[in-house]
Structure formats: structure tokens, C-alpha cells
Amino acid sequence: MAALISVIVPVYNTAPYLEACVRSVLEQTWTELELILADDGSEDGSGALCQRLSEEDGRIRVLRLEHRGVSAARNAALRAARGEYLFFLDSDDGIHPELLQRLCQLAEETGAAMAASDFVRIEDGDAIPKPHGAEEHRAVRLDSREALDLLFSAKKNGAIFGMCGSKLLRRSAVGALEFDGSMSNGEDTKLMYQILKRGVSIVVWDAKWYYYRCRRQSVSQRHSAASYCDQYRCSRYLAMSELAAGNRANGAEMERRAVDSLVKGYGCSRREEGAETVSAWNKLLREERRRPEFSLLPWHSGVRLKYELALRCYPLYRLLRRGWLMVKEGKRRG
């Protein structure tokens, strides 16, 4: 009997994209699946759309929840899931019609606890790509230490392990772990880290068969003071965990990311928030210097320079940051 896959989709105000996302699941060549739509108190008609879609296909289950954030929605669906395997998908993303079949086959053939696909970004208004022609792809085996090293590296493929989307996970590998309900950004990176720390085996399918949508609204939310605070907390957790395990290089990298998020969040608070919030961020910046791991940042590092400028002379930091962003954008376009 084929293994059941529970596809978990948290839904919150994504009506323009939701049906295409759901169709990409229902059109999977692997048919032994349940699709759990966890409606997180949507206010744009997404809840009614979930209900209509569930009436069209019995494999869809709808959970109606009060608005408590993406982590709470995923956790509710996680508790309700009946599958041997779990697959997380955001409600504005989509997947290739053969993705679940290929990942499940790889997991079954290799015994891996995690089967992952690469991903490709699609723009806000783009349709989910249609499969085209025969494509040559390969599967690569990794152990958890190799995956963790990729997560902490600056390499592009390290991003695969920083997100819960595009992964087929054995339920036994997740166990009682859940998403951190106090976080709305970085919560999936934290959970992925906790799973990898358990020493799971991994197989990576190098096809870019997960379609990750870059929405303008999501980007603005990710560049808010609250979002950077969550990113800081996630990086701080990983830094402390790696240093406690004796992995100095990984701990130093996560300290760099933590301080980078802290500086960016401070900048957002200066632009968006009131004096009380700015004062709280300023206090966080000063407290960071007293942490032992802060000494892992060399004086010549870019993030240390930004930290000192933001704390000591914010107007100069802001001016230089504009220049840095212009250079970065020029490189991207070039």
C-alpha cells in the first residue's frame, strides 16, 4: 500500500494565489495524499475558497482557526495530519506535478528521513510554471552534518535547508517537534535545524520543482522591525546551540547573522516606530556587545562596521547603507 503524504498549507489572506497552489497539489502523480488547508482567520475570502475546494475533492481537509500566525496554523495542521510523510507548502507557492512522487520514491529507496527538492523563485504576478520536456536530474545523499554545514554556509544551495517548504519529511523524524509559535519569521529555519540536529539522513533531488513566490507584501513584511527581531532570535538560538556543541565556525556565522538582523531591525525602528521602541532596540544593540560570542566578530568584518556605525552615528550609517544598497542592486542587474 502506498504511503500517505500529508500536505500542510497554512492560509492567510492569499485568495489570488490559493487555487493555483491547491491545483498544483491535486494534480500530483502521487495520489495517496491529504491536503490540509489551515485557514488562519483569513479576511479576504480565502476561507470560503478553502471550503469550495474541499467540496470538489475529498482529499482536502479544512481547519478553521483564529488568527494566531503561520506557526500556530502549521502546528494545528501538524497535529491533525495522518500521513506517514509530511510536506509543507505555502499558500502562494506551487509544486511540479511529479514532485511528491519523486521525493517519496527517493525516501523509500534510500530510507532517508528527509527528501528535499531545490526551488526556484517566481515573481508576484507569474503563473506556476508548466512542466516542459524531459529533464535530467540527479539525487545526492547527505548526512545531517553536511546539511547543517550547508545551512551555515553562504552557499546558495544552503538556502534549501533554511526553509521547511520543498521537504518531504518522515513523520518519525519530526516527532513531537513543532514550530515556535512566538515567531513569524525564522520559525521554519529553527525547526529545520532541530530536525537536522537529530542526525537524520537526507537525499536531495536537484530539480527546481518547488516554486517559491516573491510577493511584494511578503517582502515588506520580512523587512520590518518585528521580522528582523524574529530573525535575530532565530540566529541567536542557532549561534548558542552551535557554540555549545563546540562548532565555533558555525556559531560565529550565526552570530554574524544575528548582529546583521539586529542592525537592520534597529534601522527599521528608527524609520517606522516611536521613540520608546527605538530606545528598546538601542538597548538590544548595547547588550549585544556584552555577549561573549560578540567577540567572534572581527573588527574588519562588514557587519561589525555596520553595527558600530549604527550605534555611534546613525545618520552616517544610513547614508552609507544607501550606497551599499545601490552597489548591491547594480551588481544584481549586471
Side-chain angles (χ1 to χ4, degrees):
M1 183 176 177
L4 179 67
I5 298 175
S6 295
V7 181
I8 292 174
V9 179
V11 178
Y12 181 68
N13 291 351
T14 51
Y17 314 97
L18 179 58
E19 184 160 3
C21 170
V22 169
R23 298 294 178 201
S24 76
V25 176
L26 299 181
E27 292 169 1
Q28 290 293 300
T29 53
W30 187 272
T31 58
E32 291 298 313
L33 59 86
E34 63 171 0
L35 172 55
I36 304 176
L37 302 176
D39 177 28
D40 185 33
S42 294
E43 300 171 339
D44 69 339
S46 293
L49 181 54
C50 288
Q51 183 60 38
R52 177 173 68 79
L53 292 169
S54 71
E55 292 169 359
E56 296 178 9
D57 195 307
R59 294 176 295 175
I60 299 177
R61 299 164 60 197
V62 180
L63 302 182
R64 302 196 178 282
L65 310 167
E66 294 183 3
H67 181 50
R68 292 174 52 206
V70 63
S71 292
R74 284 177 177 150
N75 287 338
L78 189 56
R79 297 179 199 120
R82 299 183 292 231
E84 179 182 344
Y85 290 97
L86 305 169
F87 187 88
F88 294 97
L89 174 65
D90 285 348
S91 58
D92 51 357
D93 295 342
I95 52 178
H96 187 284
E98 298 177 24
L99 177 59
L100 294 184
Q101 178 172 338
R102 190 63 190 132
L103 292 184
C104 195
Q105 288 175 341
L106 286 171
E108 294 286 285
E109 291 167 5
T110 63
M114 178 190 302
S117 166
D118 202 347
F119 67 94
V120 64
R121 290 179 171 86
I122 59 176
E123 295 304 317
D124 197 342
D126 291 350
I128 293 174
K130 299 293 184 183
H132 52 87
E135 302 178 41
E136 292 293 330
H137 300 292
R138 66 191 183 100
V140 179
R141 293 293 303 273
L142 298 174
D143 60 33
S144 59
R145 190 68 257 169
E146 291 172 315
L148 282 168
D149 287 343
L150 281 173
L151 173 63
F152 295 117
S153 76
K155 295 179 180 178
K156 183 179 178 181
N157 55 357
I160 295 176
F161 297 106
M163 56 186 282
C164 63
S166 81
K167 316 292 182 306
L168 187 72
L169 298 162
R170 289 186 189 270
R171 183 60 184 261
S172 57
V174 178
L177 290 175
E178 292 190 344
F179 294 91
D180 186 335
S182 68
M183 300 171 66
S184 60
N185 196 294
E187 77 290 340
D188 49 350
T189 300
K190 182 177 179 180
L191 181 70
M192 287 300 301
Y193 174 76
Q194 292 172 325
I195 293 171
L196 292 173
K197 286 285 286 184
R198 291 183 161 184
V200 299
S201 56
I202 303 144
V203 59
V204 178
W205 179 240
D206 71 357
K208 296 181 177 181
W209 281 4
Y210 185 99
Y211 308 121
Y212 172 73
R213 188 179 301 280
C214 299
R215 287 198 293 137
R216 295 182 185 91
Q217 183 181 6
S218 295
V219 169
S220 65
Q221 290 173 349
R222 286 198 299 271
H223 293 281
S224 67
S227 177
Y228 281 125
C229 183
D230 284 346
Q231 291 175 38
Y232 168 75
R233 291 173 54 215
C234 176
S235 296
R236 163 69 47 226
Y237 171 82
L238 268 62
M240 299 302 293
S241 297
E242 285 298 287
L243 289 171
N247 300 319
R248 181 181 174 86
N250 289 344
E253 170 58 20
M254 295 316 298
E255 173 65 14
R256 184 194 69 78
R257 296 187 197 181
V259 172
D260 186 56
S261 296
L262 196 58
V263 171
K264 290 176 179 176
Y266 176 61
C268 286
S269 75
R270 296 278 302 232
R271 295 191 299 272
E272 303 168 3
E273 311 290 349
E276 185 176 340
T277 302
V278 172
S279 176
W281 275 92
N282 189 278
K283 182 180 178 182
L284 274 176
L285 277 174
R286 295 181 183 280
E287 289 176 346
E288 189 67 23
R289 181 184 276 126
R290 294 194 288 269
R291 291 181 176 274
E293 54 273 19
F294 185 77
S295 62
L296 297 173
L297 297 178
W299 272 98
H300 63 270
S301 68
V303 72
R304 180 69 178 265
L305 173 62
K306 294 175 183 177
Y307 171 88
E308 298 295 344
L309 283 173
L311 186 61
R312 299 172 187 270
C313 186
Y314 181 77
L316 178 58
Y317 162 76
R318 186 176 180 182
L319 181 64
L320 291 175
R321 184 173 181 273
R322 289 176 182 172
W324 292 326
L325 291 175
M326 289 175 64
V327 171
K328 184 177 180 180
E329 180 65 15
K331 289 181 178 178
R332 186 186 70 82
R333 291 183 177 180

